[in-house]
Amino acid sequence: MKILASYSIKGGVGKTATSVNLAHLAATHGYRTLLFDLDPQGASSFYFRVRPSEKCKTKFFFSKEKKLQKNIKASDFPYLDILPAKLSFRNFDIMLNYMKKSTTRLHKTLLTLKKEYDLILIDCPPSISLLSENVFNAADKILIPLIPTTLSERTLQQLTTFFSTHGYRNKKLIPFFSMVQSQKKLHKDAMTRLRKQYPHLLETSIPFSADIEKMGVHREPVTAFAKDTTGAQAFMALWEEVESKLACTKKKRALSI
Amino acid sequence: MERQLLRYHLPKRFSANKLQQLLNTKYQIYQQALPSQTLIFYDTFEWLLWKKGFVCWYFQNQLSLQRRDHFCSPYDLYTLDTLELPSPPEILNIAPSTFAQKVQKIIKARALTPTAEVQFASTLLDCKDSEGKTRLRLQLDTLQSQSQPRHKVKSLIVQPLKGYTTDAHFCQQLLTQNQCEQTSKTLLGEMEAHGLIQPSHYSIKPTFNLTPDLSVHEVISKITSHLLALARLNETGIVNDIDIEFLHDYRVALRKIRSLTTLLKHAFTTEKFNELKTSFGELGKQTNILRDLDVYLNHQADFTQLLPDSLQSGLHILFADFQQARTLEQNKIKKHLKSRNYLKKIKQLETQFQSSASLCHGPLANEPILKVAKERIYRQYHVIRKKSKRITPETPDEYVHDIRIACKKLRYLLEFFADLFPENEITKLVNALKKLQDHLGLFNDLCVQQAFLQDYYHNQLKKAHHPTEEIYQLCLSVGGVIAVLYQKQLQARNKVTNHLSSFIDKDVRQQISHLFSTAEGEKHENTCELQH
């Protein structure tokens, strides 16, 4: 099982669109996938029309492993399950603060699902907190959507510095350009500059696209309702790049003969 | 996240619309009717895939392989493997692919042919809540036989979705209230119960259900009739040239009959015995050449590995020649099996063995089978033992072949009369004998192949008035193969000697004495000892 996070300190950069579409593509490619909506806004859950269970008690998340299973819900797509967000997820930081080994709790909890899933995708809230550190510890790779602007450039720098100073491996970070408007000179210049500065930036860029925005109307991944559009095609290319970096394996459903 | 499916039997007039009406009270139903299409199942003559727990089907221009327990619909996306095919063939010869590899591991030299053909129609029902989220999935399948429309299966699958168990419970309650019955059977199980798919119990190693009180002539009748029926079941497959195993099984069945009549020859008068022996011998002989060619062609890849690249061209010529000869021989056998003479002969034999009392007039005919079986097995083992003791490195190959024949007779005896003795003990003995027979068989094959190729080589030389490059290449390759076969034969002979000595050692001997020893058997044994 591999764990992939979609994370950024900054909000509104395309984390949820990335999580939702990559989770859908992974499932379509036969990986048993769980999308963990860790963002209290619950946008990922909304896109899949999944509501959290009313009985779901957030306080059990990091202490009682079986409770986690009960909150998982099937999406409308084969091989894709959702762990929907609740507004009470906003209290995770406070809860973790009172726990021992407070930066590795999430990893330990997710490992209990390794027989069930080939891939867990975490849609993270925008912040840098104790919960974020849990994500840094749990994830095999961390996708960083990056709008080619000065502010995004600054947050990426902040993140890499945080990683270096706190002993996390920078290799985990996979930045890629998101919400790119290629007609803007500012974006073009920033992209050229950043590619020089961060050679491991993914080749694929996700364009700023009306189709991706329409996900809110359709309440489905763009890769499901408009797979021939530029936006969907870009996510497909992104998935291919991410898949090769993750080296994720599918469970052998086909038993050997 | 494994799929959990609940299957329901439906009352006769229960339709998709009725189901929709029931569920409409709580959900928005999205119905998708998939049109009726032909679904063809493929398997070998003896249903090898089925017996090993697999199923292969052709649906919507695609051939699929799946585990039998996992088969829930021909639309299943998560099969073991699939292969695109434009149309469903009568005999499935799959081009080299991963699909072919997986299938051939199970079916070996057998071919796949259609075993069942049904019309498959399906209606999918997605039950959605007010936000458009699917909370439950249902699939209503109808399968109908094309040849017998009365044979019909109607089944409903309820697929509960993770996190929505209350919806699944609601549906289950609704179905129970409407006389729908949950079943633990799989779709294939339902099809089998309704006669839409009928797996064969064919086996070239059948059990004869013998009891100790039967007389020898009753046993002869039982076994021979069964084996003759088995041989005849293979005739169509040989005529249509479906795969080489039809001829193999046909020959095995006839050989077993011939062996049984020889082993119990005193149940017949001398004239009758000679007549039967000749009849079955001739029937077998007819197909010798075709079987030899089948074996060579089937092992072409093994022969190719024996020689370096420089000698491969000669092998190509050799196998092209074999293939041509096989076509001719196959036509000959096809004609033979369809001929009046053959049909008359085989029917005559069938009738004769049905009433064995009038067939068997020898002194052994009315003896109880248990006594005779014990005696024959005991004696046959000691024949092998004595012959084996005399083997030295100088003993000619022909003598080893005699031991092979003696072992084959013992194997047949153990298999024919297995019902009369404890199963475990017989299995142990058969396994020990099988190991020995494998080595004896290999040794024999290597000797026969060398002789066959040498004959072939001389004939080619005789035919060729002026040596050509082709003849030169051919002779070079045949010579090379013979040399390698000879080396292998020497190694095989050593192994034969080792296995023979362990088969005649104390353990097996004691087991034989314990199971089959009779006063008469031992007397015969002692007389033989004295004679030698």
Side-chain angles (χ1 to χ4, degrees), chain B residues 172-224:
Chain B
Q172 280 178 282
Q173 269 179 359
L174 205 67
L175 290 169
T176 316
Q177 282 162 12
N178 285 276
Q179 286 78 49
C180 302
E181 221 180 290
Q182 196 179 337
T183 168
S184 56
K185 272 187 191 158
T186 59
L187 184 60
L188 289 168
E190 294 266 349
M191 288 177 69
E192 198 181 348
H194 287 81
L196 284 170
I197 196 162
Q198 292 164 322
S200 154
H201 299 293
Y202 171 89
S203 166
I204 196 61
K205 288 178 186 167
T207 46
F208 301 105
N209 301 322
L210 303 185
T211 49
D213 52 309
L214 288 173
S215 66
V216 170
H217 76 81
E218 283 168 326
V219 168
I220 290 178
S221 166
K222 219 172 175 178
I223 297 180
T224 313

Side-chain angles (χ1 to χ4, degrees), chain B residues 283-295:
Chain B
L283 283 178
K285 234 185 250 172
Q286 298 273 358
T287 56
N288 280 354
I289 300 175
L290 184 58
R291 177 63 193 162
D292 283 347
L293 290 167
D294 277 348
V295 173

Side-chain angles (χ1 to χ4, degrees), chain A residues 32-33 48-51 69 72-76 78-81 116-117 219 251 254-257, chain B residues 1-3 54 65 67 70 78-80 102 105-106 128 131-134 137 161-164:
Chain A
R32 300 167 308 151
T33 309
F48 285 105
R49 302 164 196 254
V50 175
R51 283 186 174 187
Q69 283 274 9
I72 295 174
K73 296 202 164 193
S75 74
D76 280 9
Y79 287 97
L80 176 59
D81 287 350
E116 292 257 316
Y117 298 100
R219 295 185 72 179
K251 183 201 167 194
L255 298 169
S256 58
I257 299 175
Chain B
M1 71 181 316
E2 302 307 326
R3 292 169 296 170
F54 296 92
L65 182 72
R67 284 196 176 271
H70 296 186
Y78 302 102
T79 53
L80 291 174
K102 283 177 191 165
K105 257 188 186 177
I106 309 166
K128 298 195 180 228
E131 286 192 46
K133 170 77 184 81
T134 309
R137 284 205 170 101
L161 297 179
K162 192 165 188 169
Y164 299 99

